[in-house]
Amino acid sequence: NAQGAWGIPARITFDIATPFWKSDIFYGTLALLALLLAYAVYHFQTKSIKREAKIAQLQLSALRSQMNPHFIFNAFNSIRGFMVKGKIEQAENFLVKFSRVVRAFLNQSNNDYILLDDEIKLIHDYLELEQIRSNNCFDYIIRIGDDIETNLSSIPSMIIQPFVENAVLHGVLPLKNKQGLIKVTMELSKNQESIVCTVSDNGVGVDETDPIKQGHALSIIEKRLRLIGSDSGFYIRNQKDGEGSGTIVALKLKLFGS
């Protein structure tokens, strides 16, 4: 008061609330989030492992389809034919190319992607083998766009060669009284993130009265491209020219840096 005396002290009662970060609800929520995060990580890892295992299985299946007994038997039979005829140099040349093709198949089976350079070399060697084995009953042309850096760009492995093999075995080899021709072209897509590859032949064509029957190797390719999840795909159709029919395969394969 005015005389300096203290009045009756006032008493105020209040409670201090427990901070939220110390509450049971906070700890419960934190524990739940931790469990959900652990489950998400576990689910992602499990899914990733299953995906990689499936891709590895499909790669092994692709290797088996490429390294089929008929291919190996025909190769050794050709080497034997050269040896019997005393054509030692031709036999050695064929054996070198055959060993390169086999090594390329094995290398590709261990990798999801392959340099374009290596894929092109494999296609060259394979076509030359089939040319020699078939007494040059077909010719082939490989054209690569100038703007493609083949030594720096990679594509999914074990994809293009099976289509080239189909063009040989089911396209030009059955031809009669006509020289076969296989063309392989590669160009950059408009967005420069993929290559557009075409494999065409002037062979007997495919039966369009029924759905195109894709062999075991082509079925594996479809499954692999879906699993890889890249902007990739392919289609097969007949093509007509003035001299008859043929088949064309168009592939779009996403490019990956080395």
Side-chain angles (χ1 to χ4, degrees):
N1 58 21
Q3 287 76 29
W6 290 91
I8 300 173
R11 177 176 296 179
I12 301 174
T13 303
F14 59 90
D15 295 325
I16 299 176
T18 304
F20 175 71
W21 53 271
K22 286 186 177 182
S23 67
D24 292 339
I25 294 177
F26 175 79
Y27 287 122
T29 302
L30 194 62
L32 180 60
L33 289 175
L35 288 174
L36 289 175
L37 180 61
Y39 173 76
V41 171
Y42 170 78
H43 179 72
F44 175 78
Q45 290 180 338
T46 303
K47 186 177 180 180
S48 178
I49 291 172
K50 288 181 179 179
R51 175 180 171 275
E52 290 177 1
K54 185 65 176 177
I55 291 177
Q57 180 185 8
L58 289 173
Q59 284 178 321
L60 180 59
S61 297
L63 175 63
R64 287 172 177 168
S65 68
Q66 288 175 313
M67 293 290 293
N68 63 76
H70 294 292
F71 172 72
I72 297 174
F73 173 79
N74 290 336
F76 282 120
N77 196 44
S78 297
I79 295 171
R80 175 182 173 276
F82 288 130
M83 298 293 289
V84 169
K85 296 177 182 178
K87 298 180 179 179
I88 306 302
E89 184 175 348
Q90 288 92 327
E92 290 179 348
N93 181 48
F94 190 94
L95 185 58
V96 168
K97 294 182 185 299
F98 175 69
S99 65
R100 284 207 301 257
V101 169
V102 171
R103 185 169 63 248
F105 285 163
L106 294 175
N107 288 340
Q108 287 198 28
S109 68
N110 293 323
N111 298 284
D112 291 338
Y113 306 99
I114 181 175
L115 276 176
L116 268 175
D117 250 356
D118 295 333
E119 181 73 12
I120 294 166
K121 290 174 185 176
L122 169 60
I123 294 171
H124 267 298
D125 286 336
Y126 174 76
L127 286 173
E128 286 184 356
L129 279 181
E130 293 293 359
Q131 268 189 329
I132 296 171
R133 192 176 66 81
S134 63
N135 294 318
N136 292 304
C137 76
F138 71 91
D139 301 312
Y140 73 89
I141 300 170
I142 298 178
R143 293 194 180 115
I144 312 298
D146 295 334
D147 50 355
I148 299 178
E149 297 179 320
T150 58
N151 61 330
L152 297 176
S153 303
S154 298
I155 59 172
S157 63
M158 308 181 83
I159 299 293
I160 298 178
Q161 189 276 334
F163 290 106
V164 175
E165 183 175 344
N166 269 7
V168 173
L169 301 182
H170 306 297
V172 297
L173 289 190
L175 285 174
K176 297 179 181 179
N177 303 319
K178 180 182 177 180
Q179 183 72 5
L181 176 63
I182 294 175
K183 296 179 182 178
V184 180
T185 65
M186 297 182 191
E187 300 287 345
L188 270 181
S189 63
K190 291 182 179 179
N191 62 9
Q192 299 188 342
E193 295 180 355
S194 305
I195 66 162
V196 177
C197 174
T198 60
V199 180
S200 61
D201 65 72
N202 65 340
V204 297
V206 294
D207 185 1
E208 291 187 336
T209 61
D210 292 320
I212 293 174
K213 296 180 179 178
Q214 297 176 4
H216 181 58
L218 302 191
S219 175
I220 293 171
I221 290 172
E222 276 190 323
K223 293 176 182 177
R224 284 193 59 223
L225 291 179
R226 284 199 299 268
L227 282 173
I228 291 173
S230 59
D231 181 22
S232 303
F234 68 90
Y235 70 82
I236 306 173
R237 64 174 173 81
N238 271 342
Q239 61 174 352
K240 302 290 183 179
D241 57 34
E243 300 179 0
S245 64
T247 306
I248 182 168
V249 179
L251 305 98
K252 185 180 181 182
L253 300 173
K254 185 172 178 59
L255 290 172
F256 298 85
S258 60

